Amino acid sequence: MNKNKKPLFSFRKSSQDVSDTPCTDRREFLAKSGKLALGASAIVVGGGLFSPNSFAAKKIGENANATLLKLARDIYPHDTLEDKYYVQVMSPMADAAEKDAELFKLLAEGVTLLDKTSVDKYGVPYSQIKTEQERVIVLKMLEPTPFFQKIKGALMMGIYNNPEIWPRFGFGGSAWEKGGYINRGYDAVDWL
């Protein structure tokens, strides 16, 4: 353990009171708790969509869990977006799958089909296909399936309806509440 690190809370004896009182301010607390939350989210993001100790993660398997995250990134590939944005969309679906046997079956059988198609085409499971172009070929083969359409629909709504990401796409958000786009950036669009 690093002895140079300060604890989240420290206690000191108050001269007026014999009880222990915390001696941390709000700013310090928020900074430290933010680092802890970031570290915890990195652990979850690194493992896939289902939380590692959940029933669904154990049942679907570690490889399938990671495959779902890779699939999500390949359906809507944005190299500048971190995994957390894909996980924000897919995690509610994973949580729902823990309670909904039909959804869980759709995800589990979809990942199995995805890997089988990948093995038939390239000799390796989907997550081990090296190039994005080869993975896209596999995805096009599965595009008509309910599994693919379910993931695609959730991602489309979850990623492109996320105001936190809009600035990264050059979208300023809804304009009607601000008087519309005329004289407010409509003529500044550089990507059309």
Side-chain angles (χ1 to χ4, degrees):
M1 182 170 187
N2 187 350
K3 294 182 180 183
N4 295 329
K5 288 189 175 183
K6 294 180 182 177
L8 183 59
F9 290 105
S10 59
F11 291 88
R12 67 173 175 235
K13 294 285 184 184
S14 170
S15 59
Q16 300 151 342
D17 191 298
V18 283
S19 67
D20 288 336
T21 58
C23 62
T24 188
D25 64 0
R26 180 177 178 270
R27 186 178 305 269
E28 182 182 355
F29 171 76
L30 291 174
K32 288 181 180 180
S33 63
K35 288 176 187 173
L36 289 172
L38 183 62
S41 69
I43 291 169
V44 172
V45 168
L49 303 177
F50 293 98
S51 61
N53 296 326
S54 72
F55 170 74
K58 291 175 185 171
K59 192 169 178 184
I60 200 168
E62 186 177 323
N63 291 337
N65 197 10
T67 298
L68 282 170
L69 182 57
K70 184 173 264 320
L71 170 71
R73 290 204 64 97
D74 286 341
I75 290 176
Y76 288 106
H78 294 286
D79 294 336
T80 60
L81 290 184
E82 297 85 10
D83 284 349
K84 73 176 185 173
Y85 296 110
Y86 293 91
V87 171
Q88 284 174 357
V89 174
M90 298 295 290
S91 288
M93 185 185 303
D95 293 341
E98 291 191 32
K99 298 172 185 86
D100 182 352
E102 190 173 316
L103 177 58
F104 183 82
K105 181 180 176 186
L106 179 75
L107 294 176
E109 289 178 355
V111 170
T112 301
L113 178 62
L114 181 64
D115 280 340
K116 181 185 179 322
T117 306
S118 300
V119 168
D120 291 347
K121 184 80 175 158
Y122 297 107
V124 294
Y126 183 79
S127 62
Q128 294 176 14
I129 296 175
K130 298 290 184 210
T131 68
E132 183 178 345
Q133 291 80 12
E134 291 173 334
R135 290 192 305 269
V136 167
I137 291 169
V138 173
L139 291 180
K140 287 188 182 228
M141 295 168 74
L142 293 180
E143 192 171 10
T145 65
F147 165 70
F148 182 91
Q149 293 301 319
K150 177 79 172 170
I151 303 281
K152 179 183 148 196
L155 287 168
M156 180 176 53
M157 297 308 292
I159 289 177
Y160 300 116
N161 279 346
N162 185 345
E164 185 181 339
I165 305 173
W166 290 346
R168 296 172 114 181
F169 295 140
F171 179 58
S174 175
W176 71 269
E177 337 51 41
K178 299 168 188 155
Y181 287 109
I182 296 179
N183 299 324
R184 209 185 67 65
Y186 181 74
D187 52 348
V189 175
D190 60 356
W191 51 269
L192 278 178

